[in-house]
Amino acid sequence: MSAQNLITGSLSRRRFLTATSTLAAIGAASAILPAGVTRAFAAEGKKEILSGSHWGAFWGAVEDGRFTGVRPWEKDPNPNPALPGVQDMVYNAARIKYPMVRRSYLENGPKAERDSRGSGDFVRVSWDQALDLVAKEIQRLQDEEGPWSIYTGTYGWRSSGRVQNPQNMLKKLMNLKGGAVFSTGDYSKGALAGIMPYILGQIDAEGPQTSHRSVMENSDLIVFWASDPLKDNRISAGVPDHGEKRWFDDMKAKTELKKIFINPVNIELCKEVQGEWLPARPHADIPLALGICHTLLTEDLYDKEFIENYTFGFDKFADYLMGTGWDKIEKTAEWAAGQCEVPAEKIRELARLFVSGRTMLVSGWTPQRQQYGEQWPWMFITMASMIGQIGLPGGGFCQRYHLDNAGAPHSNGPALGSAISPGMRKEIKAWPEEKGHVSIPCARIVDMLENPGGEFEHNGGKHVYPDVKMTYWVGGNPFHHHQDRNRMRNAWKKFETVVIQDYQWTASARFADIVLPATTACERNDIERIGNVANLAFIRMAKIIDPVFEARDDWDIFVELAKRLGVESEYTEGKTPEDLIADIYNQAKEAAAKKDVAMPDFEEFWEKGIVEFEIPEANELRVKYADFREDPLMNMMPTATGKIEIFSNEIEKFGYDDCPPHASWIEPVEWLGQKDKTYPLHLNSSHPDYRLHSQLCASSARELYAVNGHEPCWINTKDAADRGIVDGDIVRVFNGRGQILAGAKVTDDIRPNVIKVQEGAWYDPEDITDPNTLCKYGDPNVLTIDIGTSRLAQATSAHTCMVEVEKFTGTVPEITVFTAPQAAE
Ligand code: PGD
């Protein structure tokens, strides 16, 4: 039987009965059954289907063809409390039900009344009409302008699933049609990924890290520096395994292991494991680390042998520490204390402590989402090099413990590929460089819109911004993830046509011309891994219900467009998503066989819904960079010098004053140390406790955290008292870039002069005609600055932001963003 038939419903009645007889134990997919059988089956009552999501593996309950609830997979050790949102978002009021076109666009075509985007004035159209409009516009721009006029950078976290990757689908389609402008980098670890290849010759913050067990057995001290592994591991780009819970339990039990949390927020994990909270000033991590390094140098505590044998360029960094480097400032503990507000004696104490036993330094990614963000990861590795424990059990550094349970031992399972590759661009017209570069750093989209034909620098190169006329966005939400919303809103008008393909009415959809309703992952078939690092299992992401309203799978939408654009057969290559699911499973099965790991046939896997792998004992004690430590010549770092580069000759050649050739402190444009106190509070817009970026914001999971119906604004007790704010008040957070409402959460778990509003809160403008309109719900990116980290990575600087807060005394406007625009009901 073909994969297509198996998955989409040609199971025989006998096979169906076999499958359903095991349901009590393992669940079954109504989706794999013929329609008639599905109905008969549903009539038997509630059934559960095993599937996976960004929030975890779960059993989806189905009653009479309706998805009615979720229950965490029984082997999930720490289910995400937001999981019920997965079911809620299928039906909630923000669901996009039908293809919609902005009225004036429909009546007058591209460019029409772009000021009215965001007003919600949409007209329902048929699928054919919507698809014709999109195809016609792509064709027109390819013919009349060229591929440089269409921006399909389309950044975003989409849904889990190895096959249904709508961004690759879109890119493949555009490549077959002569290309488009794509994007590079990401909003996540863009600065880190930009600088690391020069320092370690690899991105480092990816894949497996030194195992948790190695830390538990060998470390005396663990320092979580701007890292929140309890919160962030709740989600994953694949399906999270949540195994880190066991690590936290072990940490809590091992009282002799010292834990320090350097963070402006006293995070849950710090309290959970009875750690020491060091509330250093945000945006001053580099001075703090420099003060530590200066102490290590001047008290002769650093590991000279490691520096000598494993690193390059320390002498220049030492000069910088001692005040003979480029800025002529000696980085004494006293100097550092003035910047980071940690007492000088404490800084020296930390330095001594770090070398007194085995120390694991753990960093999160917030400090690299700041202006000059490239400097922090470099500083962090320089400090770890001076401590000299890189490659030793339980020592060194880790930049990924907060994601994908990256200290988990990995199983003996094979890799699971991704099914759709964007392929190569088939040029219809040659692409001259003066028409603009083929890609831009993703976080520079607004610069591109404001400066068509303008020059930009990136990672040693000089390029030209293309003059884009259209964008097609899928699987991402730029009206949440990008900074400085008011500036963005204005720049967005440059697009003559905006197509958004999503399943929910995000602000991005509201600011579109053509809105195409996609299915959620629960309405189609796919396959994923449980545990991006542990690779505990492959899980069938079975269709739980048929598509609701007029939603269509991204795949089907792109096939329809490919048809209209004359590239259907090249696009599909004769396959369906179900074939692709079977293909990548079978490829993995072949790879497994080579390692003597047995896997069931695809058919059996699909019926059962899961194949689990074993964890070899040897993988429990992984130590990152142990081979380099053991033999730095045979296992050299893939850098220019083969060593860890504390100084980079390559970066020096770029001559960037915003990215010097060794880790440096450069005062940012906005921070708590600045003289101007117009906006006296630092805004921390870290990742949310109970969503994935903006996903689930429109769901019932909001009840877990909303304050008085608004996105919470954590504020220190003293700061609140100074402003007459009490817990639960609606507050206005503002600066020169914009203003938002939020719900005050008054607490001592955030240090004074810092507030927190989580990224991903949906943008809800009160009056789209006002360039400084209030966001009624609480999107922090109304307030954040939109500048590149530096010319090297050109990543986001979202965490460089100062604001003021006041109690809101006006009439609180109704929040409207969580219901569809009226015409779309
Ligand atoms: P998501 O909310 O995941 O955010 O930005 P990103 O755009 O990735 O958006 C995904 C969108 O895809 C949602 O609208 C969802 O409905 C849609 N979607 C999901 N599945 C599908 C599908 O199958 N098909 C289609 N068509 N659509 C789908 C995240 C970005 O935000 C990231 S990664 C980071 S790290 C940044 N972090 C910060 C930060 O720390 N602070 C601030 N201030 N801002 C940030 N922005 C960045």
Side-chain angles (χ1 to χ4, degrees), residues 155-159 164 166 187-188 369 474-478 480-483 501-504 506 518-519 521 524 554 685-687 692-695 759 780-781 784 798-799:
Y155 177 82
W157 265 61
R158 62 181 184 91
S159 291
Q164 307 272 6
Y187 283 74
S188 193
R369 266 182 233 130
V474 60
N477 185 4
H480 113 68
H481 69 228
H482 194 72
Q483 286 57 62
Q501 185 167 307
D502 204 306
Y503 61 80
Q504 47 181 351
T506 59
T519 50
R524 63 192 183 214
D554 294 302
S685 54
S686 55
H687 288 187
L692 170 80
H693 303 303
S694 73
Q695 297 190 54
E759 63 98 36
N781 276 327
T784 53
H799 289 264

